Amino acid sequence: MSAGTLYDKVWDLHRVADLPGGTTQLFIGLHLIHEVTSPQAFSSLNDLGLAVRHPELTLATVDHIVPTTSQARPFADPLAEEMLTTLEANCAAHRIPLLAIGSGRQGIVHVIAPELGLTQPGMTVACGDSHTSTHGAFGAIAFGIGTSQVRDVLASQSLPLTKLRVRRVWVDGALQSGVYAKDLILHIIRSLGVKGGVGHAYEFAGPAIAALSMEERMTLCNMAIEGGARVGYCNPDEVTFAYLRGRPHAPAGEAWERAVAWWRSLASGPEATFDDEVGFDACAIAPTVTWGITPGQGIGVDEFVPTPEQLAPDDRPLAEEAYRYMNLCPGQPIVGLPVDVCFIGSCTNGRLSDLRAAAAVAHGRQVAPGLKAFVVPGSEQVAAAAQAEGLDAVFRQAGFEWREPGCSMCLAMNPDRLEGRQISASSSNRNFKGRQGSATGRTLLMSPAMVAAAAVSGHVVDVRHLLAELAAAG
Ligand code: SF4
């Protein structure tokens, strides 16, 4: 059993009661809601005649269903309009703040809470969305919940939960040029499996993690859930504090110094013990691309689609399914695979540093003929910051479309969708069958820089070669 870890400390600090049956009632410090998983929860709450227990610890935004071409109301899709209208009415009735479109603060739920300084070390954070693990980047215990749990948190600000085991994922070395946090997490999932983290929280630690920016740590923790770990986190450190300082909801003045001292004390110390430990060498990781239908079916860009013989017997049936669905042959290189659509965005990779990395590749180049490429900032703040430094112009000049913030083609609950058998290079987090809006559409997950490289090449390419050309050109 783990002891002395950040996970153990935060768990103990939020324990309301130990329940019969072995679960713990845990207090939720921040509850994030959006238009997709909240309507039924509010409806159930209203049926029971219950009020929202802590509206001041609850925050709403709209992200999944918003169109990214024009966000003028009413939306062209009446169902999307109805979902937003319902969210607005529920928030008004229960006095929950809603970051509306045009407020300057709307965006994907896992982008806006950190950028406002709402997500802080030592918190518990819940949201009706799997990728709530993102917030663990700050040293919070953050996890996705189902609709009935959204109702329970609205009503009680707490949840009965089973404590997870803690696996430390130690990463030595440093990521090389052209290799990003997205590649690191795809490599980890490829190695440990999509179910490898079931029942676990992943503590990401080691020199390579300490060297990551907060935005990179968010990318890493965002996809912990794709490796089966409901919670992924990094210990808070100077990088965390520097990111939070001065943000609208971060402590200020004397409260800041007290908060930093407390946050520092929460980190897993040298005395911490873990249920399990695994290690990686960041130096050995290449830009990574998925070839199949789960985030665990990934390879280095310089590798070949694995043959059944190279896989464990248990992995072969899914690989056979993936070869057929993706129309790929075992043993073929992933480099050179043509793509139809290139999408840069999502709660995994729709932040400013992601757009900078992609723009550096797109600068001075042109999107390949016949290919659709578009960039969707993760929030209105990301969009404004990117525009202030001219990234939108770089993308537009290269032939990318520059869109309004939202989830866009990550899930395609909006007009951004693949068509037919189109294949996308995508900076999002799931490559499941039909994930991007077409029942037969295909998704290759990769870093934003790799997506930009695919866009200007027309096919999967090793971004390191394009970066080397840039460096040689001075
Ligand atoms: S970007 Fe994708 S994964 Fe993230 S919240 Fe939106 S739909 Fe969910």
Side-chain angles (χ1 to χ4, degrees), residues 343-355:
F343 165 56
I344 296 170
S346 85
C347 62
T348 312
N349 280 129
R351 298 183 180 82
L352 185 60
S353 58
D354 300 314
L355 305 193

Side-chain angles (χ1 to χ4, degrees), residues 358-369 373-375 387 389-403 452 455-456:
V361 175
H363 184 76
R365 295 186 164 108
Q366 281 297 309
V367 168
F374 62 116
V375 182
Q387 286 164 202
E389 54 186 78
L391 300 185
D392 59 325
V394 170
F395 285 119
R396 282 199 179 102
Q397 281 161 15
F400 289 77
E401 294 173 39
W402 176 259
R403 299 285 190 81
V456 298

Side-chain angles (χ1 to χ4, degrees), residues 9-361:
K9 295 177 199 178
V10 177
W11 180 274
D12 288 343
L13 285 164
H14 290 80
R15 174 187 277 128
V16 178
D18 291 325
L19 304 175
T23 57
T24 298
Q25 194 77 15
L26 211 66
F27 184 78
I28 303 300
L30 176 62
H31 186 201
L32 302 167
I33 62 172
H34 57 78
E35 75 282 13
V36 177
T37 51
S38 68
Q40 304 91 328
F42 278 113
S43 172
S44 178
L45 197 74
N46 294 338
D47 288 347
L48 293 165
L50 296 171
V52 174
R53 182 71 186 265
H54 282 291
E56 78 285 6
L57 300 180
T58 312
L59 179 76
T61 192
V62 55
D63 48 15
H64 286 61
I65 52 96
V66 294
T68 63
T69 44
S70 165
Q71 299 186 334
R73 301 283 298 277
F75 296 151
D77 177 357
L79 184 60
E81 179 63 26
E82 186 188 335
M83 289 174 85
L84 179 47
T85 306
T86 303
L87 180 69
E88 289 169 333
N90 283 326
C91 288
H94 293 280
R95 296 174 292 112
I96 293 170
L98 167 64
L99 301 181
I101 292 170
S103 65
R105 294 184 165 188
Q106 174 265 340
I108 306 173
V109 65
H110 309 310
V111 176
I112 57 158
E115 70 188 8
L116 290 172
L118 283 159
T119 306
Q120 296 173 14
M123 274 187 164
T124 48
V125 182
C127 174
D129 187 278
S130 311
H131 296 89
T132 308
S133 54
T134 309
H135 306 262
F138 290 81
I141 296 183
F143 47 87
I145 55 178
T147 296
S148 60
Q149 292 176 307
V150 172
R151 176 203 58 202
D152 295 347
V153 178
L154 288 172
S156 70
Q157 204 62 33
S158 64
L159 269 184
L161 292 163
T162 302
K163 196 173 180 189
L164 299 168
R165 294 187 293 278
V166 183
R167 171 179 294 147
R168 183 162 71 169
V169 180
W170 184 267
V171 190
D172 271 317
L175 294 173
Q176 304 298 292
S177 172
V179 183
Y180 304 87
K182 180 64 158 289
D183 303 301
L184 172 58
I185 189 63
L186 285 173
H187 182 83
I188 289 171
I189 298 169
R190 166 195 184 180
S191 306
L192 302 180
V194 290
K195 294 181 182 162
V198 171
H200 288 84
Y202 280 175
E203 174 174 315
F204 297 107
I209 304 298
L212 296 179
S213 70
M214 284 313 299
E215 295 196 353
E216 291 171 314
R217 294 178 193 184
M218 283 187 253
T219 298
L220 186 72
C221 293
N222 173 277
M223 288 192 69
I225 185 64
E226 302 306 330
R230 196 176 180 195
V231 168
Y233 69 87
C234 302
N235 284 301
D237 60 9
E238 301 309 319
V239 176
T240 320
F241 311 146
Y243 177 96
L244 281 169
R245 189 175 202 126
R247 296 203 177 249
H249 291 269
E254 284 180 19
W256 170 259
E257 299 304 331
R258 282 199 304 275
V260 168
W262 183 64
W263 293 340
R264 222 186 282 281
S265 74
L266 295 171
S268 302
E271 77 293 348
T273 58
F274 300 86
D275 297 288
D276 186 30
E277 296 192 52
V278 292
F280 292 91
D281 176 9
C283 305
I285 298 173
T288 300
V289 182
T290 60
W291 59 270
I293 51 176
T294 79
Q297 290 176 317
I299 49 176
V301 67
D302 44 7
E303 295 180 54
F304 301 88
V305 174
T307 62
E309 297 72 33
Q310 291 172 312
L311 297 168
D314 285 353
D315 293 336
R316 291 175 192 167
L318 189 65
E320 298 285 358
E321 192 180 335
Y323 300 143
R324 285 192 297 277
Y325 185 83
M326 298 297 290
N327 196 27
L328 294 175
C329 297
Q332 83 172 76
I334 199 78
V335 159
L337 183 67
V339 296
D340 304 302
V341 176
C342 289
F343 165 56
I344 296 170
S346 85
C347 62
T348 312
N349 280 129
R351 298 183 180 82
L352 185 60
S353 58
D354 300 314
L355 305 193
R356 284 178 180 154
V361 175

